Amino acid sequence: MYENDLPPEGKGLSPDETQAHKPELRNEKEKKVSEEPEPSPPGPACFPRGFGKTVDYLLHHPEEVLESFKRDKDLGRLSRIFFVISLIMAAIYGAVMGATNLLQGSSMPLQGKFLMILISGIKVPVLFLLTLIIVFPPIYVSNAFVGVRLSFQKMLALLLASIAITSTVLASTATVVFFFSLTTKSYNFIKLLHVFFFICAGYAGLSYLFRCIKAISPPGMRQTPGKLFVVWLLLYIFVGTQLAWVLRPFVGSPNEKFQVFRPRSGNFYESVLYSARKVSSEIDWRD
Amino acid sequence: MESWGNNIKIWWKSLVHPETADELVLEVVKPAGFNRCLVIGIALLYAVYGLSMGLFRGAYPGLIAAVKLPFLFLLTQVICFPLFYVLNCLMGPRLKINHCFRLLLLATSANACALASYAPISYFFTLTTSKMGYHFLVLMHVAVFAVAGLLSIIVIVLIVRSTASRLKCRIRPAFIIAWSMLYAFIGTQMAWVLRPWIGTWTVPYAPFRPLEGSFIESVIKLLF
């Protein structure tokens, strides 16, 4: 991602050969190349107006965002932008999650199905932000003690950025989940699919955080050790799964009546194992 | 009609010389109506092959399969697109959204061309096997799809590499692998949903079958 200063890879053909294939296009290309300005070092981030453009900017200009972090510029505004992106993107995914019962045509009453969409749309952003609040103190303190020295506000902005990336990746899988909800009948299969996408998105977000911290730590100073990242990952998994379990149902089991929260019983890992066993037993082995 | 001929020429050139396709993907050259031409071209190429699949059961199933096969690939592309775009930003060449769309279209068109080139073989075997040849035909189509998929992946990797070298960034193999896994995952489920393609003689023909299970379930069943 940050290898932009590397030399371009050689093309399969020598310039003369390519020239022979595309005489008329090549001239135009040369003209374009000469018009392009020299790439300048990235300045601080300057987010455009409009939600779609903002998300696009976050995805396309990580160097500029890093530069803002390095210069301590506009951190409050950046945090607010990341916060809003996380809220909306997580809500989109939550709504698709809650729509499973509607799409699969389960026996739940229609009103419950629609309420499920609304409730899951609220629950997923709450899940992300509550997890952030819970894991922030230990991450901040452990980083301050053994890692690179970052201010409270900077660390918070960094974590919000990672959540924004997580929820953006998650929201981009919404079409896939929608398609599978529409074309499969198995509640347990969908549940496992959600778990898989949450893992992938969480990994994407945390690796973004790691890269950012590596890139903004000043040279010559104490760096954040790699082992600490593993600890944070475990911390996130530990807290996130328990919180998700407390906030359930997200998808809503088709066999149970509509409910906003379920009574506490069992735990997350038990439930995932149960679903995996169920999916394999639901397969019709007869032929 | 002139622009059509020109578009087809540019399209074919980008597939045969993928190292020069970067100009097309990054819209350095902007042929008018290229995307529309590409979508229609892809649909026609798939329809040619789809007809040969369904023809085993007769003319009507053949027409239905000819309509369904373009949808299989174009719908898969629509479903994959948001995730592909985000992946492209996080671990790939960071293309813009319309460049990304054109790259995917070119990739699908490479597959369509490769598949349609096997259509004569498919017609020949479909029309010359007896009613008992169902299992043979299934195997043949699976093999043709696999070969066409491999051929198109080679072209797509070359196109992506030339685009990335134009943008002066490196392509991680993980990006291509993640993309093809995603495409395969959704494509197989889509193919499962749009069944029947050939149609066994054991059940009466219907354009669609009721949803039951998923492709993944049937693969697990096949493996164990």
Side-chain angles (χ1 to χ4, degrees):
Chain A
M1 228 166 146
Y2 303 111
E3 299 109 307
N4 279 3
D5 44 353
L6 285 173
E9 276 177 33
K11 293 190 176 183
L13 293 173
S14 69
D16 303 10
E17 270 175 287
T18 357
Q19 192 93 38
H21 293 313
K22 313 198 72 172
E24 73 275 36
L25 297 182
R26 187 59 49 179
N27 286 338
E28 210 166 320
K29 184 175 179 176
E30 272 166 10
K31 219 187 294 169
K32 273 275 177 209
V33 167
S34 61
E35 278 168 17
E36 275 170 18
E38 284 291 303
S40 52
C46 141
F47 278 90
R49 293 201 161 271
F51 181 69
K53 280 186 189 155
T54 310
V55 175
D56 234 29
Y57 191 88
L58 173 66
L59 290 173
H60 275 286
H61 299 272
E63 289 89 4
E64 279 83 353
V65 174
L66 278 179
E67 197 59 32
S68 300
F69 279 126
K70 273 186 204 160
R71 296 187 196 176
D72 259 336
K73 205 159 181 281
D74 276 351
L75 283 188
R77 180 160 177 268
L78 280 188
S79 309
R80 249 172 296 147
I81 289 173
F82 296 147
F83 179 73
V84 173
I85 291 179
S86 331
L87 274 190
I88 296 178
M89 286 301 191
I92 291 173
Y93 189 80
V96 174
M97 240 179 148
T100 307
N101 267 302
L102 188 69
L103 295 171
Q104 287 190 330
S106 71
S107 55
M108 194 185 266
L110 199 63
Q111 202 185 2
K113 285 177 184 169
F114 281 109
L115 266 179
M116 209 59 228
I117 297 178
L118 183 70
I119 286 172
S120 295
I122 297 169
K123 271 184 186 174
V124 176
V126 167
L127 167 69
F128 275 142
L129 297 173
L130 268 184
T131 311
L132 177 67
I133 292 171
I134 295 172
V135 299
F136 183 64
I139 286 184
Y140 176 68
V141 170
S142 61
N143 188 52
F145 280 8
V146 296
V148 64
R149 287 181 189 87
L150 296 173
S151 70
F152 187 83
Q153 199 192 9
K154 211 185 236 183
M155 199 68 198
L156 187 64
L158 274 172
L159 281 176
L160 276 172
S162 88
I163 298 262
I165 290 287
T166 303
S167 45
T168 307
V169 173
L170 203 55
S172 73
T173 65
T175 48
V176 180
V177 171
F178 183 89
F179 170 63
F180 273 94
S181 307
L182 198 62
T183 58
T184 56
K185 291 268 175 244
S186 166
Y187 162 72
N188 289 299
F189 173 74
I190 293 293
K191 199 162 108 186
L192 291 180
L193 195 68
H194 284 305
V195 171
F196 176 71
F197 281 144
F198 267 94
I199 291 172
C200 291
Y203 178 77
L206 271 177
S207 64
Y208 184 83
L209 175 70
F210 298 168
R211 275 204 309 264
C212 282
I213 290 188
K214 279 247 151 69
I216 64 171
S217 44
M221 299 278 284
R222 189 176 61 185
Q223 306 282 322
T224 303
K227 276 175 199 156
L228 201 57
F229 289 141
V230 180
V231 174
W232 293 353
L233 186 69
L234 291 177
L235 199 66
Y236 250 105
I237 295 173
F238 188 60
V239 175
T241 50
Q242 180 61 21
L243 195 58
W245 187 250
V246 171
L247 288 177
R248 93 220 141 92
F250 287 92
V251 179
S253 167
N255 303 324
E256 292 184 41
K257 63 179 194 315
F258 171 78
Q259 47 195 357
V260 180
F261 292 106
R262 266 186 223 153
R264 279 179 209 157
S265 67
N267 68 39
F268 173 82
Y269 307 99
E270 231 174 76
S271 154
V272 168
L273 282 180
Y274 170 81
S275 278
R277 234 180 297 133
K278 208 64 177 153
V279 164
S280 59
S281 70
E282 267 170 14
I283 297 170
D284 187 6
W285 299 94
R286 269 168 300 175
D287 48 42
Chain B
M1 276 333 271
E2 264 177 44
S3 72
W4 273 79
N6 191 29
N7 279 342
I8 289 171
K9 219 186 285 171
I10 294 174
W11 171 23
W12 183 245
K13 203 187 267 172
S14 71
L15 291 186
V16 182
H17 305 296
E19 62 283 342
T20 59
D22 52 340
E23 286 158 343
L24 202 59
V25 173
L26 297 174
E27 292 185 341
V28 176
V29 287
K30 289 177 185 163
F34 186 73
N35 281 358
R36 195 185 40 192
C37 172
L38 210 52
V39 169
I40 294 172
I42 290 170
L44 285 178
L45 286 173
Y46 279 128
V48 167
Y49 193 85
L51 184 65
S52 80
M53 289 176 91
L55 218 53
F56 180 60
R57 284 291 300 257
Y60 169 63
L63 278 180
I64 295 285
V67 173
K68 278 198 293 189
L69 195 61
F71 274 103
L72 165 64
F73 285 92
L74 293 174
L75 281 181
T76 305
Q77 177 172 342
V78 169
I79 290 171
C80 289
F81 186 66
L83 187 52
F84 175 71
Y85 176 62
V86 171
L87 275 183
N88 142 68
C89 288
L90 288 180
M91 54 199 283
R94 268 193 246 160
L95 298 177
K96 285 186 192 135
I97 202 154
N98 45 352
H99 300 171
C100 220
F101 186 72
R102 179 161 288 179
L103 179 65
L104 275 186
L105 267 187
L106 269 181
T108 312
S109 76
N111 191 36
C113 278
L115 197 65
S117 71
Y118 286 94
I121 298 177
S122 173
Y123 277 108
F124 175 66
F125 278 102
T126 304
L127 294 175
T128 53
T129 47
S130 65
K131 279 190 175 185
M132 306 300 290
Y134 173 73
H135 291 289
F136 165 73
L137 282 182
V138 169
L139 282 181
M140 186 193 77
H141 286 305
V142 167
V144 165
F145 272 92
V147 171
L150 276 181
L151 278 178
S152 54
I153 282 179
I154 293 170
V155 175
I156 291 158
V157 168
L158 288 177
I159 294 178
V160 172
R161 196 182 283 165
S162 88
T163 312
S165 81
R166 178 74 184 264
L167 291 171
K168 298 192 174 63
C169 65
R170 255 200 319 215
I171 285 293
R172 297 192 210 173
F175 171 63
I176 301 274
I177 294 170
W179 175 21
S180 31
M181 297 267 279
L182 174 76
Y183 212 85
F185 183 57
I186 294 159
T188 45
Q189 172 70 9
M190 186 64 92
W192 186 259
V193 170
L194 293 177
R195 281 171 320 151
W197 294 100
I198 306 168
T200 66
W201 293 100
T202 52
V203 286
Y205 182 79
F208 292 99
R209 278 191 209 147
L211 292 174
E212 43 177 44
S214 71
F215 178 78
I216 294 120
E217 281 178 23
S218 69
V219 167
I220 295 172
K221 196 154 66 173
L222 212 70
L223 288 177
F224 299 104

